[in-house]
Amino acid sequence: MNIFTHIHNHGDQKISPNLCGQLELALSHLTPRQSLPTRALRVLIIDELTHLGWSDRIKVSTKTNITVTSQFGDIGLCLQTGNMGRFYADILKLQTLFREDSIKAGIYVIPTKAEAKNIGSNIAHYDRFVEELNVFAKTITIPLIVFGFERG
């Protein structure tokens, strides 16, 4: 897959270059066919995360069932392949974990605009996510690295 990277709030200074490099390399080496359904694509990516040592879902609070996709040490991760409106929930979850000192930074994995069009309609995508991170830069303070992906 082709991978695009955006740094928000000095995420590259809080997340180990080794961890980012491993994740970026693993994502770039995935070769899912274009016809692979979205759920299967998610499973493929999550399996790769697990292979790299990332956890299963992590609860944002013990009082709810709200979760993020994964965690590795003090780095949280969200993978989004669904509806545009869901990325707001994801960034709030990561921001909450950060403000509560459960994580020191986050990684967000999301399809590019072109890939989102292949997946379906109204799918969250890297281009808009990055644009809106810039709009809400004073509110979204978590150090973050965003990986956009598309099947090449």
Side-chain angles (χ1 to χ4, degrees):
M1 291 198 293
N2 298 319
I3 306 299
F4 302 86
T5 306
H6 174 78
I7 308 300
H8 175 76
N9 198 24
H10 310 288
D12 57 339
Q13 295 175 16
K14 298 290 184 178
I15 302 171
S16 151
N18 186 44
L19 182 63
C20 283
Q22 284 180 339
L23 182 55
E24 186 172 0
L25 185 63
L27 290 171
S28 69
H29 281 115
L30 291 177
T31 55
R33 62 187 190 285
Q34 290 294 338
S35 62
L36 190 68
T38 305
R39 184 172 304 283
L41 177 62
R42 278 188 65 82
V43 168
L44 184 68
I45 294 170
I46 290 171
D47 284 350
E48 190 60 32
L49 290 170
T50 302
H51 178 74
L52 293 172
W54 288 81
S55 73
D56 289 333
R57 292 185 201 165
I58 297 295
K59 283 189 173 190
V60 173
S61 166
T62 57
K63 299 173 185 171
T64 70
N65 286 326
I66 298 170
T67 62
V68 296
T69 305
S70 190
Q71 187 170 337
F72 190 96
D74 53 7
I75 308 299
L77 183 141
C78 284
L79 167 64
Q80 184 55 257
T81 57
N83 186 283
M84 186 71 75
R86 294 305 306 159
F87 77 64
Y88 294 107
D90 287 341
I91 199 62
L92 284 175
K93 292 185 256 182
L94 288 172
Q95 180 69 31
T96 298
L97 288 169
F98 173 69
R99 295 299 282 178
E100 293 177 354
D101 294 321
S102 297
I103 59 173
K104 71 175 183 182
I107 294 175
Y108 202 88
V109 181
I110 186 169
T112 63
K113 186 175 186 177
E115 181 64 25
K117 286 181 182 180
N118 289 334
I119 291 173
S121 63
N122 199 33
I123 300 299
H125 60 81
Y126 174 87
D127 310 69
R128 182 167 170 189
F129 186 75
V130 166
E131 180 182 306
E132 295 198 14
L133 272 179
N134 291 328
V135 170
F136 298 111
K138 291 182 180 177
T139 303
I140 306 302
T141 58
I142 182 173
L144 192 64
I145 296 180
V146 183
F147 289 113
F149 68 87
E150 64 186 27
R151 293 174 263 200

